[in-house]
């Protein structure tokens, strides 16, 4: 960067807080006094909204083209100046209908906003009990695999005042520098999804906890039990969690929620900590992931800018969105979770995101209205069989982030979606950075060109013209490097560690995007390429790879392209530009498509300099992209792309480029010099010839003779292919006199020239070799270091994939073995039950037979007893009758005796007895009832 630019730019570390107010005042054409700045920058109380004057000053819109439709009045919600959790709560507590609206969906689970807020409180109760709070200066690292539990943890930690740092699960590997990240970013506690860790990795995390003095390592169970999930994965997840619970030293969230339920929540008091959230970039074209600290206001104002833009008004009615990335990046958390919740949308959060087997079907199953994706998804879907392509019938909005979307690609994606159910789908392409909290410039359907669109409210742009070395506003319509200031700009610092610098322009902090842009007539912005994507050859020609890539990729029929330097070690020892191109359809016409694109860019349109024309072209079936959808330059330079290689032959007429020809070749070294002497050797020959011409013996001899000798000498020079002196003719006598001297002079010239040329060329070649060797050693070291890092990362991914594959295979084998054992056990149980039943049946039959025999014997015994009883009774009756007869006879005798005695007594007294008539006194008949 020039000294003049350095005078205009100061690093934002010294930038005053009042910068946004100055910027707003400057944009409105007003001056700002110190009193106004002080009043405008004074922090608002937690429960009060920012002063109206402050809001309008800070949010002033930069001037825009009159061709654009005016934006609605930009008014920031009062809730935005609070912590992020409170912002979401206040926005969605306006009505009972909003509270009862579905907020989160996860396979079989759904949470309304009311239920989601209660779960935030449950997690906050745990964090308060464990001291993960603002008072303890905590920073909770969350290793997310895209799940509802992680979102609960983020907002709960924000509630207790703890800072949050998001990491991908890959950082838990022993090969990743997790310890370094913990030290640099001030991590105090770890929160891990069980789907992201196994027993070995958990032990590794606990080892780091002991070494660095971390406070807590918490593991949360992510339930994936569902008929939509593969049974093998469910079984693996459950068995893995059982293994994790055997590890000493780890805490488990389900136990903690039960233990600390009802604990008073320790609410955070700070309202705008510059590092409340620390997200990490998903990787740049250089493969580097870096932290991006953001404040609560940054997240909230990013949502407000989206809400107040007329392009997203329809979201206010509520829609269903699909989260496709883990919540460790800005695009994953801010754009796909925080902003939809601010709109009151329903967010589908599938465990493992796009790795979930149900991911493709979820789009139609949950009737997704808006998708946040990268172009990578459409490229992958378009190659799937028909049965595996999503049904887009419910989708009416697609938000593309992480990569540029050309007009041609947008038309192609629209056609692809319409062929698979979509009816009236709209595409929105967001341009921004993690450091700006996501999208700052939006391209919608109304933009029918290859621009990246218009800036959102709260965003101001500056363009640095590298030729003028000055900054310009958008309305000046200059081409140069883009700088962005927004309400959501990161500070670049975490505590005392600075991870990237901001540039101060006229007292306002901006961030350099390193993208070269131009301004179109309608005020929209077009990206020309990367300012920091160039390389230089030995002739000092600067190849702007970013611009060439962007221009060629925007041509019809080109899907993606990348230009990389290739170092030629054999012929030129120079840096050779090679263009890698992926056509839309890689058929026999691919070379013609690429040729037409080059002709348009370098000849017809002239959007790239002729000097930047690549020397070779490789037509590949697939240009590699990283996980965020960006071209992976380093996989290309490390030999990760194969295809047909062509020599690019420029066709010139009087030094004017008229056409371009592609010639197929099998040799990478062929065609580099186009059949000519290498440029540096040609220059050396010219320098040697010019510097030795007036020093040779030939010139000394020629100066001593007359004009005729000079003519002869000139003729000799012409015979040697050197510049001659025209004009004089020679006679044969003169020629004969000087033949001998001419031969001697010629021999001396040849000897001297040859020796001198050999010496200079030798010295030059030594210098070239030493210089190139040094450059090569440096490049080789850098490439080796990065390649080693990339290889380690890829090896880890391969190892992890293989490990999971083996683990799943083992689990599947164990499951099969268990199923076999269960089947054998069930068979044995059934056989045992059958045998027991047969034995029971036999025992029952024997018992019944015994009972029948016993009953028969009882009947026979009863019949005999009854018969004996009848006989005894009859005998008894006979005895009774005899006895009664005897008694009657005895009574009759006794009565007779009594009467005789009584008559005797009366006779003695002289009276005649008068007796009543006597009844029959015969024997008494037996009682009939007794007989019965």
């Amino acid at each position: 960067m020039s000294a003049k630019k350095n005078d205009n730019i100061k690093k934002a570390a010294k930038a005053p807080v009042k910068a946004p107010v100055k910027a707003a005042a400057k944009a409105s054409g007003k001056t700002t006094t110190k009193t106004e700045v002080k009043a405008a920058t004074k922090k608002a109380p937690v429960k009060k909204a920012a002063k109206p004057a402050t809001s309008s000053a800070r949010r002033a819109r930069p001037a825009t083209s009159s061709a654009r439709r005016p934006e609605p009045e930009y008014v920031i919600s009062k809730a935005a100046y609070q912590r992020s959790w409170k912002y979401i709560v206040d926005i969605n507590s306006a009505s009972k209908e909003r509270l009862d609206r579905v907020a989160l969906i996860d396979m079989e689970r759904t949470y309304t906003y009311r239920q989601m807020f209660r779960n935030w409180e449950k997690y906050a109760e745990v964090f308060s009990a464990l001291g993960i709070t603002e008072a303890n200066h905590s920073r909770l690292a969350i290793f997310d695999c895209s799940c509802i539990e992680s979102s609960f943890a983020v907002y709960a930690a924000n509630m207790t005042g703890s800072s949050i740092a998001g990491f991908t699960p890959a950082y838990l590997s022993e090969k990743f520098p997790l310890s370094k990240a913990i030290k640099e970013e001030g991590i105090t506690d770890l929160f891990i999804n069980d789907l992201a860790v196994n027993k070995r990795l958990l032990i590794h995390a606990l080892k780091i906890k002991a070494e660095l003095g971390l406070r807590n390592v918490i593991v949360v169970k992510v339930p994936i039990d569902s008929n939509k999930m593969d049974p093998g994965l469910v079984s693996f997840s459950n068995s893995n969690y059982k293994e994790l619970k055997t590890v000493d030293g780890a805490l488990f969230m389900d136990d903690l929620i039960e233990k600390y339920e009802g604990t008073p929540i320790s609410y955070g008091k700070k309202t705008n900590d510059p590092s409340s959230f620390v997200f990490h970039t998903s990787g740049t074209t250089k493969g580097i992931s870096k932290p991006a600290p953001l404040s609560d206001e940054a997240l909230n104002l990013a949502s407000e800018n989206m809400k107040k833009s007329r392009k997203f008004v329809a979201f206010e009615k509520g829609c269903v969105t699909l989260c496709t990335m883990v919540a460790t990046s800005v695009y994953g958390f801010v754009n796909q979770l925080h902003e939809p919740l601010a709109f009151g949308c329903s967010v589908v959060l599938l465990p493992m995101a796009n790795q979930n087997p149900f991911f493709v079907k979820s789009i139609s199953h949950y009737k997704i209205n808006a998708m946040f994706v990268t172009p990578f998804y459409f490229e992958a879907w378009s190659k799937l069989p028909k049965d595996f392509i999503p049904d887009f019938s419910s989708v009416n909005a697609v938000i593309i982030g992480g990569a540029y979307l050309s007009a041609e690609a947008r038309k192609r994606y629209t056609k692809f979606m319409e062929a698979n159910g979509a009816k009236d789908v709209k595409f929105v392409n967001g341009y921004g950075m993690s450091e700006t909290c996501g999208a700052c410039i939006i391209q919608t359907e109304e933009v029918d060109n290859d621009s990246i669109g218009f800036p959102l409210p709260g965003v101001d742009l500056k363009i640095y013209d590298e030729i003028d070395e000055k900054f310009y506003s958008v309305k000046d319509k200059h081409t140069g490097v883009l700088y962005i200031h927004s309400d959501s700009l990161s500070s670049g610092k975490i505590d005392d560690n600075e991870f990237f610098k901001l540039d101060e322009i006229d007292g306002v902090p901006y961030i350099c995007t390193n993208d070269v842009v131009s301004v179109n007539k309608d005020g929209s912005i077009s990206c020309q390429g990367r300012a920091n994507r160039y390389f230089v050859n030995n002739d000092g020609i600067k190849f702007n790879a970013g611009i060439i890539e962007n221009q060629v990729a925007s041509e019809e029929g080109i899907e993606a392209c990348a230009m990389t330097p290739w170092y030629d070690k054999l012929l030129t020892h120079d840096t050779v530009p090679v263009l890698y191109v992926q056509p839309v359809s890689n058929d026999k016409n691919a070379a013609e498509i690429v040729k037409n694109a080059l002709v348009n860019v370098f000849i017809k349109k002239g959007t790239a300099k002729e000097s930047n024309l690549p020397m070779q072209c490789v037509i590949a079936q697939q240009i590699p992209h990283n996980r965020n959808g960006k071209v992976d330059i380093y996989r290309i330079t490390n030999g990760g792309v194969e295809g047909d290689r062509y020599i690019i032959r420029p066709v010139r007429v009087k030094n004017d480029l008229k056409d371009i020809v592609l010639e197929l070749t099998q040799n990478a070294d062929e065609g580099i010099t186009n059949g000519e002497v290498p440029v540096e050797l040609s220059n050396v020959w010219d320098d040697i010839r010019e510097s030795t011409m007036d020093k040779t013996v030939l010139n000394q001899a020629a100066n001593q003779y007359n004009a005729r000798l000079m003519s002869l000498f000139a003729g000799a020079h012409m015979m040697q292919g050197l510049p001659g002196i025209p004009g004089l003719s020679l006679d044969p006598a003169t020629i004969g006199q000087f033949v001998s001297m001419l031969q001697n002079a010629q021999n001396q010239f040849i000897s001297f020239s040859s020796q001198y040329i050999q010496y200079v060329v030798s010295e030059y070649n030594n210098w070239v070799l030493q210089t190139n060797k040094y450059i090569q050693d440096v490049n080789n070291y850098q490439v080796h270091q990065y390649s080693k890092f990339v290889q380690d990362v890829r090896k880890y991914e391969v190892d992890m994939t293989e490990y999971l594959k083996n683990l799943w295979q083992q689990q599947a084998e164990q499951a099969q073995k268990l199923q076999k054992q269960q089947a054998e056990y069930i068979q044995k149980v059934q056989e045992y039950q059958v045998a027991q039943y047969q034995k029971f049946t036999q025992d029952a039959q024997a018992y019944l037979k015994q009972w029948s025999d016993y009953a028969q014997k009882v009947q026979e015994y009863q019949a005999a007893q009854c018969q004996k009883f009848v006989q005894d009774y009859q005998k008894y009756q006979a005895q009774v009758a005899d006895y009664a007869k005897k008694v009657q006879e005895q009574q009759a005798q006794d009565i007779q005796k009594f009467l005789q005695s009584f008559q005797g007594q009366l006779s003695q007294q002289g009276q005649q007895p008068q007796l009543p008539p006597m009844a029959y006194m015969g024997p008494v008949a037996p009682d009939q009832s007794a007989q019965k």
Side-chain angles (χ1 to χ4, degrees):
M1 189 177 292
S2 65
K4 190 172 182 180
K5 182 178 178 183
N6 285 330
D7 293 338
N8 293 333
I9 302 179
K10 296 179 181 179
K11 294 305 174 184
K14 300 179 180 179
V17 180
K18 59 189 178 184
V21 183
K22 284 187 176 181
K26 185 172 182 178
S28 61
K30 299 179 181 179
T31 58
T32 307
T33 65
K34 293 183 179 180
T35 305
E36 290 170 337
V37 170
K38 185 176 181 180
T41 56
K42 186 177 181 181
K43 288 187 177 180
V46 177
K47 296 184 179 180
K48 295 183 180 180
K51 296 180 181 180
T54 306
S55 176
S56 61
R58 291 182 63 203
R59 321 299 168 201
R61 291 273 298 155
T64 57
S65 170
S66 58
R68 291 184 59 199
R69 188 166 61 182
E71 296 282 357
E73 184 179 356
Y74 185 48
V75 181
I76 294 294
S77 169
K78 297 178 181 180
Y81 301 99
Q82 306 180 89
R83 283 194 167 271
S84 295
W85 75 269
K86 191 69 168 61
Y87 167 67
I88 297 297
V89 169
D90 287 356
I91 288 292
N92 292 286
S93 298
S95 66
K96 183 178 182 298
E97 181 275 331
R98 192 74 171 254
L99 281 171
D100 292 335
R101 186 183 295 178
V102 173
L104 301 175
I105 303 172
D106 169 17
M107 303 297 283
E108 305 295 340
R109 299 181 295 166
T110 58
Y111 294 85
T112 64
Y113 277 88
R114 193 191 308 273
Q115 293 168 335
M116 180 179 71
F117 297 153
R118 176 58 192 130
N119 277 278
W120 291 0
E121 292 173 349
K122 288 182 179 180
Y123 277 53
E125 291 168 358
V126 172
F127 293 161
S128 297
L130 297 178
I132 306 176
T133 60
E134 178 183 283
N136 290 331
H137 307 286
S138 299
R139 179 164 289 125
L140 179 66
I142 297 178
F143 298 86
D144 180 46
C145 63
S146 179
C147 63
I148 286 180
E149 285 69 22
S150 291
S151 71
F152 290 166
V154 170
Y155 285 105
N158 185 250
M159 186 182 294
T160 63
S162 170
S163 175
I164 301 100
F167 290 92
T168 62
Y171 271 86
L172 290 170
S173 168
E174 297 96 327
K175 298 181 180 180
F176 270 73
L178 179 58
S179 298
K180 180 182 178 183
I182 289 173
K183 294 176 183 177
E184 289 182 345
E185 300 178 24
I187 305 299
T188 60
D189 304 86
L190 306 183
F191 185 90
I192 306 172
N193 300 156
D194 71 312
L195 298 180
V197 70
N198 56 26
K199 186 175 181 179
R200 179 175 57 83
L201 294 179
L202 181 57
I203 293 174
H204 171 64
L206 291 170
K207 182 180 179 181
I208 294 177
K209 170 181 178 287
E211 292 175 351
L212 302 182
L214 300 180
R215 299 167 188 165
N216 300 288
V217 176
I218 304 172
V219 179
V220 64
K221 178 75 170 73
V222 180
I224 62 173
D225 303 72
S226 170
N227 55 9
K228 304 179 183 67
M229 184 63 75
D230 181 75
L233 289 176
V234 176
S235 175
F236 165 73
S237 173
N238 293 333
S239 61
N240 181 60
Y241 188 66
K242 290 180 181 179
E243 284 289 311
L244 295 178
K245 296 209 75 170
T246 63
V247 178
D248 293 332
L251 302 176
F252 295 89
M253 199 63 188
D254 48 0
D255 299 332
L256 297 174
I257 290 176
E258 182 178 355
K259 181 178 180 180
Y260 295 116
E261 183 178 5
T263 299
I265 297 175
S266 176
Y267 290 96
K269 297 180 180 179
K270 291 183 181 179
T271 57
N272 199 26
D273 182 355
S275 57
S276 287
F277 298 88
V278 181
F279 297 109
H280 292 79
T281 61
S282 56
T284 64
T285 54
K286 295 184 178 181
I288 302 170
S289 180
K290 57 185 177 181
L294 295 166
S295 65
D296 289 281
E297 283 190 12
L299 269 68
N300 300 342
L301 292 176
S303 302
E304 286 295 300
N305 290 340
M306 288 288 187
K307 291 175 66 177
K308 301 307 176 184
S309 174
R310 60 185 173 82
K311 302 174 183 65
F312 299 94
V313 172
F315 280 26
E316 286 285 3
K317 300 177 182 179
C319 65
V320 183
T321 68
L322 175 63
C323 188
T324 60
M325 297 179 66
V326 296
T328 58
S329 65
V330 168
Y331 189 40
F333 182 83
V334 179
N335 298 125
Q336 300 189 31
L337 182 61
H338 190 68
E339 288 175 359
L341 292 179
F343 277 98
C345 299
S346 300
V347 182
V348 177
L349 267 172
L350 297 180
M352 301 179 290
N354 56 14
Q355 301 299 316
N356 191 304
F358 190 65
F359 178 78
V360 171
K361 294 183 179 179
S362 67
I363 296 174
S364 59
H365 180 81
Y366 297 114
K367 301 188 184 304
I368 302 298
N369 307 129
M371 294 193 309
F372 292 84
V373 293
T374 66
F376 168 78
Y377 285 88
F378 286 99
E379 299 305 324
W381 285 334
S382 63
K383 295 177 175 62
L384 293 176
K386 180 69 175 178
D387 295 340
F388 293 91
I389 296 176
D391 177 6
F392 299 111
S393 56
S394 63
V395 179
N396 49 43
V398 177
I399 299 90
I400 299 287
Y404 165 71
L405 179 68
S406 67
E408 189 273 336
R410 183 175 61 201
K411 293 176 182 177
R412 187 155 41 86
Y413 296 162
T414 301
K415 185 177 179 180
F416 170 74
M417 293 188 67
E418 289 175 348
N420 292 280
K423 294 180 176 60
D424 186 22
V425 64
K426 304 294 183 183
F427 276 82
V428 177
N429 188 200
Y431 172 92
M433 307 169 66
S434 297
E435 296 86 342
T436 61
C437 204
C440 294
I441 301 173
I442 294 296
Q443 174 210 73
T444 57
E445 293 289 330
E446 65 186 21
V447 181
D448 192 21
N449 53 38
D450 284 328
S451 77
I452 57 177
F454 300 94
L456 284 170
V459 175
D460 189 33
L461 308 179
K462 294 290 184 184
I463 297 175
Y464 180 72
D465 191 320
E466 294 181 303
I467 298 176
D468 295 347
E469 296 186 346
K470 292 181 181 179
F471 285 95
Y472 294 91
S473 63
V474 174
K475 64 181 180 181
D476 296 322
K477 291 184 170 54
H478 271 256
T479 296
V481 181
L482 179 64
Y483 286 72
I484 297 178
H485 165 78
S486 77
D487 297 329
S488 302
L489 189 61
S490 169
S491 67
K493 293 182 178 180
I494 301 176
D495 300 328
D496 295 330
N497 292 324
E498 186 175 53
F499 293 92
F500 56 87
K501 292 181 179 294
L502 302 178
D503 293 312
E504 186 180 335
I505 306 173
D506 298 328
V508 181
Y510 285 75
I511 187 164
C512 177
T513 66
N514 280 315
D515 282 334
V516 178
V517 301
S518 60
V519 183
N520 302 313
K521 292 181 180 180
D522 60 354
S524 62
I525 309 297
S526 287
C527 186
Q528 303 297 325
R530 294 289 290 174
N532 60 349
R533 283 272 295 112
Y534 65 85
F535 52 91
V536 181
N537 70 359
N538 290 348
D539 287 339
I541 298 177
K542 179 179 178 180
F543 290 90
N544 291 292
I547 294 177
I548 296 173
E549 290 169 356
N550 190 281
Q551 296 302 321
V552 175
S554 64
E555 291 296 318
E556 183 177 359
I558 304 299
E559 178 62 38
C561 72
M563 191 167 82
T564 64
W566 173 69
Y567 185 72
D568 173 32
K569 301 177 182 180
L570 299 178
L571 295 178
T572 65
H573 300 284
D574 199 358
T575 300
V576 178
V578 179
L579 184 68
Y580 293 82
V581 183
Q582 176 188 339
V584 173
S585 59
N586 200 1
D587 55 19
K588 61 182 180 180
N589 296 323
E592 189 67 21
I593 293 172
V594 174
K595 174 202 168 179
N596 293 337
L598 293 174
V599 169
N600 287 337
V601 171
F602 289 96
I603 300 176
K604 293 183 179 180
K605 297 180 180 178
T607 52
K609 297 179 180 179
E610 292 181 15
S611 60
N612 274 205
L613 180 66
M615 292 184 178
Q616 293 187 5
C617 171
V618 176
I619 299 179
Q621 293 184 352
Q622 185 73 40
I623 296 291
H625 290 71
N626 61 22
R627 293 182 179 179
N628 202 31
K630 298 178 181 178
V631 174
D632 194 337
I633 297 297
Y634 290 90
R635 282 180 60 189
I636 297 175
T637 56
N638 289 324
V641 176
E642 296 181 354
D644 294 335
R645 185 177 292 267
Y646 292 82
I647 301 169
I648 299 178
R649 302 282 192 189
V651 179
R652 300 182 184 276
V653 177
K654 295 183 180 180
N655 292 327
D656 291 335
L657 183 62
K658 296 298 183 181
D659 196 6
I660 295 173
V661 177
L662 299 185
E663 294 182 6
L664 184 65
T665 179
Q666 303 296 327
N667 185 5
D669 297 329
E670 184 180 349
I672 292 177
T673 63
N674 292 327
E676 302 173 356
V677 177
V679 175
E680 65 271 18
L681 296 183
S682 176
N683 292 341
V684 170
W685 174 259
D686 292 339
D687 292 341
I688 292 172
R689 188 169 61 179
E690 292 174 3
S691 64
T692 59
M693 184 63 73
D694 56 349
K695 298 178 184 179
T696 62
V697 176
L698 291 176
N699 279 341
Q700 294 175 2
N703 291 333
Q704 298 173 6
Y705 295 95
N706 59 24
R708 291 190 302 170
L709 179 61
M710 289 291 293
S711 297
L712 175 63
F713 203 68
H717 276 219
M718 292 177 68
M719 287 188 292
Q720 296 297 325
L722 300 176
I725 303 174
L728 297 178
S729 61
L730 302 175
D731 56 72
T734 304
I735 294 176
Q737 294 175 5
F738 297 105
V739 168
S740 177
M741 183 169 53
L742 179 60
Q743 290 176 345
N744 292 335
Q746 195 173 21
N747 292 334
Q748 292 177 20
F749 169 74
I750 293 172
S751 176
F752 176 82
S753 299
S754 177
Q755 293 174 8
Y756 190 79
I757 289 172
Q758 290 176 4
Y759 170 75
V760 174
V761 171
S762 175
E763 289 298 310
Y764 180 79
N765 283 340
N766 288 337
W767 176 80
V768 170
L769 288 173
Q770 292 174 2
T771 302
N772 287 337
K773 186 177 184 304
Y774 171 75
I775 295 173
Q776 182 181 354
D777 290 343
V778 173
N779 290 338
N780 287 343
Y781 174 76
Q782 293 175 338
V783 170
H784 173 73
Q785 290 298 102
Y786 181 78
S787 298
K788 185 175 181 301
F789 170 75
V790 171
Q791 289 171 2
D792 289 344
V793 172
R794 289 180 184 156
K795 187 174 183 302
Y796 163 73
E797 291 178 344
V798 172
D799 292 345
M800 196 65 180
T801 303
E802 189 66 24
Y803 169 76
L804 290 176
K805 181 181 178 181
N806 292 336
L807 192 59
W808 291 342
Q809 186 175 357
Q810 292 175 6
Q811 293 293 331
E813 292 174 354
Q814 291 178 0
Q816 292 176 352
K817 184 177 179 181
L818 180 61
Q819 289 176 350
K820 183 178 179 181
Q821 292 176 348
Q822 288 178 340
E824 292 175 353
Y825 173 76
I826 292 172
Q827 183 178 357
K828 290 180 180 180
V829 169
Q830 291 175 344
E831 291 174 354
Y832 173 77
Q833 290 176 338
V834 169
Q836 289 296 103
Y837 180 76
Q838 291 176 348
K839 184 176 182 303
F840 171 77
T841 302
Q842 293 173 356
D843 292 343
Q845 290 174 348
Y847 172 76
L848 289 174
K849 188 174 182 305
Q850 292 176 355
W851 174 256
S852 177
D853 295 342
Y854 173 75
Q856 183 177 357
K857 290 179 180 180
V858 168
Q859 289 176 351
E860 292 174 352
Y861 173 77
Q862 289 177 340
Q865 290 295 104
C866 183
Q867 185 177 2
K868 183 176 180 297
F869 173 76
V870 170
Q871 293 173 354
D872 291 343
Y873 184 74
Q874 290 175 348
K875 183 177 179 181
Y876 170 74
Q877 281 184 328
Q879 291 175 352
V880 169
D882 293 341
Y883 175 76
K885 182 177 178 182
K886 290 178 179 181
V887 169
Q888 287 177 352
E889 291 176 350
Q890 184 66 37
Q891 287 178 347
Q893 292 175 4
D894 292 342
I895 291 172
Q896 194 70 28
K897 286 179 180 181
F898 172 75
L899 290 175
Q900 291 174 0
S901 177
F902 184 70
Q903 288 176 354
Q905 291 175 2
L906 291 178
S907 299
Q908 291 176 4
Q909 295 176 2
Q911 297 181 359
Q912 185 66 31
Q914 295 291 327
L915 294 174
M918 294 291 292
Y920 174 73
M921 300 296 291
V924 179
D927 189 357
Q928 295 297 323
S929 63
Q931 186 176 4
K932 290 180 182 179

